């Protein structure tokens, strides 16, 4: 049972490079989210999507973009990476639009030098 | 602003009971959630409270007082595998989850 797959698991990236973090689910849930987790801080929402074809901005969207072409995939793109984007990124899915019960992927650890 | 406060770190003994507190100030309230996160792993859902009172689920219980903006997670019969971070999150009036920084629980034999 895959659930939620994130790729890559870990990546070191030079500043200024473009990077896409992939997230795929086989749970057929509508709501998907991208969070970043930094030491000493709570999870912060970057972008979300309530259903295929729609996206919204979270708490910290600057420097990131997302797309939701279908139910299963929700990629996160850093157009021009900066060191402050060094973080662990988690993709999550929710069984409903307004549910706080989320299922998380295993995370992608990104280091921007 | 919106704020979730929980202790940074707690230590407890195997077999004992520990209570992890969470206080919140948010714009609206649509439920409080507890998650467990082992080091290097993803968070996993533990419990959900939307009404005042205690919700029990095996060795874990969660309590909510909306008037006080307060919740706690109670872990009984602690096991070494309970060593993890415990994240408190509140769903605000916009149905967005606001997350605390987490409480790292260290279990000693």
């Amino acid at each position: 049972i895959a659930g939620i797959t994130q790729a890559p698991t870990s990546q070191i990236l030079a500043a200024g490079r473009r990077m896409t973090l992939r997230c795929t689910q086989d749970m057929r849930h509508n709501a998907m989210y991208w969070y970043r987790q930094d030491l000493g801080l709570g999870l912060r929402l970057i972008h979300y999507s309530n259903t295929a074809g729609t996206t919204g901005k979270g708490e910290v969207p600057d420097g990131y973009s997302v797309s939701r072409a279908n139910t299963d995939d929700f990629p996160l793109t850093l157009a021009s990476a900066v060191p402050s984007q060094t973080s662990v990124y988690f993709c999550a899915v929710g069984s409903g639009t307004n549910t706080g019960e989320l299922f998380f992927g295993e995370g992608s650890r990104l280091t921007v030098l | 602003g919106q704020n979730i406060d929980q202790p940074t770190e707690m230590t407890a003994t195997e077999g004992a009971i520990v209570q992890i507190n969470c206080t919140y100030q948010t714009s609206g309230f649509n439920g409080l959630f507890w998650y467990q996160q082992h080091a290097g792993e993803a968070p996993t859902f533990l419990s959900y409270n939307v009404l005042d009172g205690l919700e029990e689920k095996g060795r874990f219980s969660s309590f909510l007082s909306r008037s006080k903006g307060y919740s706690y997670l109670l872990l009984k019969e602690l096991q070494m595998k309970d060593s993890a971070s415990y994240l408190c999150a509140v769903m605000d009036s916009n149905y967005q989850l606001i997350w605390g920084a987490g409480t790292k629980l260290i279990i000693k034999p």
Side-chain angles (χ1 to χ4, degrees):
Chain A
I1 299 175
I4 304 163
T5 302
Q6 288 188 233
T9 304
S10 179
Q11 182 75 46
I12 299 174
L13 187 67
R17 298 297 296 268
R18 181 183 179 89
M19 178 72 195
T20 294
L21 304 180
R22 300 183 297 279
C23 177
T24 300
Q25 58 142 337
D26 63 6
M27 304 172 77
R28 307 302 294 173
H29 287 331
N30 283 323
M32 297 188 75
Y33 309 85
W34 274 106
Y35 286 94
R36 60 178 290 172
Q37 187 174 40
D38 302 288
L39 197 63
L41 299 177
L43 288 162
R44 291 184 291 170
L45 182 65
I46 304 170
H47 285 286
Y48 65 94
S49 170
N50 288 331
T51 189
T54 69
T55 62
K57 294 182 179 181
E59 179 186 357
V60 288
D62 293 344
Y64 305 94
S65 63
V66 292
S67 62
R68 187 86 184 275
N70 56 60
T71 297
D72 298 343
D73 301 298
F74 190 43
L76 176 74
T77 297
L78 289 67
S80 179
V82 295
S84 63
Q85 292 178 311
T86 294
S87 188
V88 180
Y89 291 86
F90 286 102
C91 176
V93 305
S95 57
T97 301
N98 295 325
T99 178
E101 183 177 349
L102 304 182
F103 302 92
F104 285 83
E106 290 304 307
S108 296
R109 181 175 296 274
L110 183 66
T111 302
V112 183
L113 302 176
Chain B
Q2 307 202 92
N3 196 50
I4 310 287
D5 285 319
Q6 47 181 135
T8 302
E9 186 175 296
M10 299 182 70
T11 302
T13 304
E14 189 177 16
I17 299 172
V18 72
Q19 177 176 310
I20 302 173
N21 295 326
C22 171
T23 58
Y24 63 89
Q25 290 179 311
T26 57
S27 53
F29 179 85
N30 281 300
L32 186 140
F33 302 81
W34 284 96
Y35 281 75
Q36 181 189 60
Q37 185 177 24
H38 286 100
E41 297 183 8
T44 56
F45 171 78
L46 283 178
S47 69
Y48 164 60
N49 295 70
V50 67
L51 300 176
D52 289 354
L54 189 68
E55 294 284 341
E56 297 185 82
K57 190 183 293 186
R59 293 188 299 113
F60 293 7
S61 302
S62 57
F63 171 84
L64 174 66
S65 169
R66 287 173 298 171
S67 62
K68 295 181 179 179
Y70 168 70
S71 172
Y72 67 73
L73 181 69
L74 192 71
L75 291 73
K76 302 177 184 177
E77 301 170 12
L78 286 169
Q79 302 175 11
M80 297 304 293
K81 68 179 182 179
D82 297 330
S83 292
S85 288
Y86 292 85
L87 314 181
C88 174
V90 172
M91 182 165 279
D92 69 9
S93 57
N94 294 319
Y95 294 94
Q96 298 285 0
L97 278 175
I98 310 300
W99 295 82
T103 298
K104 182 178 181 180
L105 178 63
I106 299 168
I107 309 297
K108 295 186 174 181

